[in-house]
Amino acid sequence: MAVPLRRADGRTTRTVQDGGPRSFKGGLADQSEATTQLHTATHLLYKALRRVLGDHVVQRGSNVTADRLRFDFSHPAKMTAEERDEVERIVNEAIEHDWPMSFREVPTKDAFDEGALGAFGDKYGETVKVYTAGDPNGEWYSKEICGGPHVENTGALGHFG
């Protein structure tokens, strides 16, 4: 999926599916502020894709630089313009909600039991970091097994689309 992200500082970051290095540690080129923002946006995007397309959507990879993000996911059909618009609307709603981002280290089984998403099942160790957009013990938008880095609040992302 390729859309621009208007960051909180007013700059627009293009998210495209081509160009740049092909392999990064954890899908990230670096841990700069811009890369961190786009990486956090992948969490919001993943949740929105599952809400619009269905729970069968599974992350297959990502590639994030300071200038763009690529998010690979499974789905049997090409997304329609209406689906893309709805995903964008949901992501922006999550940004505007200004969810806090937090993490906890928990046993891998517990992470899955509490609803965390993680597409790389047998590659995880005994414990994992679970990042939550929202309250990990209350209302939350997104909960994923991830190594980070992330912004402190989703509002720091600006505008998606």
Side-chain angles (χ1 to χ4, degrees):
M1 176 167 209
V3 295
L5 173 69
R6 186 167 299 109
R7 299 185 337 204
D9 64 8
R11 292 183 15 209
T12 299
T13 300
R14 285 258 170 231
T15 62
V16 296
Q17 295 183 357
D18 59 349
R22 298 286 181 217
S23 178
F24 301 118
K25 181 177 177 165
L28 303 178
D30 58 51
Q31 293 193 4
S32 68
E33 180 180 350
T35 300
T36 298
Q37 288 175 325
L38 288 173
H39 172 73
T40 304
T42 66
H43 290 270
L44 308 183
L45 176 59
Y46 189 17
K47 177 67 173 195
L49 286 166
R50 289 174 58 90
R51 284 180 56 186
V52 172
L53 302 176
D55 288 340
H56 67 277
V57 170
V58 176
Q59 179 180 356
R60 295 297 183 206
S62 68
N63 188 279
V64 182
T65 72
D67 298 319
R68 59 148 177 84
L69 73 83
R70 188 188 76 222
F71 187 82
D72 303 324
F73 61 98
S74 61
H75 184 61
K78 182 178 178 178
M79 289 180 69
T80 66
E82 293 80 16
E83 289 168 334
R84 285 191 307 273
D85 289 347
E86 181 64 4
V87 166
E88 184 178 314
R89 185 193 68 74
I90 291 169
V91 171
N92 280 311
E93 189 176 86
I95 291 169
E96 291 167 14
H97 192 283
D98 199 24
W99 292 103
M101 293 295 297
S102 62
F103 79 91
R104 300 180 302 136
E105 289 193 43
V106 298
T108 303
K109 182 185 180 319
D110 292 354
F112 286 116
D113 288 348
E114 64 186 38
L117 297 176
F120 309 107
D122 61 349
K123 293 184 180 180
Y124 299 120
E126 289 185 31
T127 61
V128 292
K129 284 185 179 179
V130 175
Y131 276 85
T132 303
D135 180 352
N137 299 310
E139 181 185 6
W140 51 271
Y141 172 81
S142 172
K143 190 179 287 194
E144 292 183 50
I145 297 171
C146 187
H150 300 83
V151 298
E152 291 184 21
N153 295 76
T154 61
L157 301 179
H159 181 78
F160 189 80

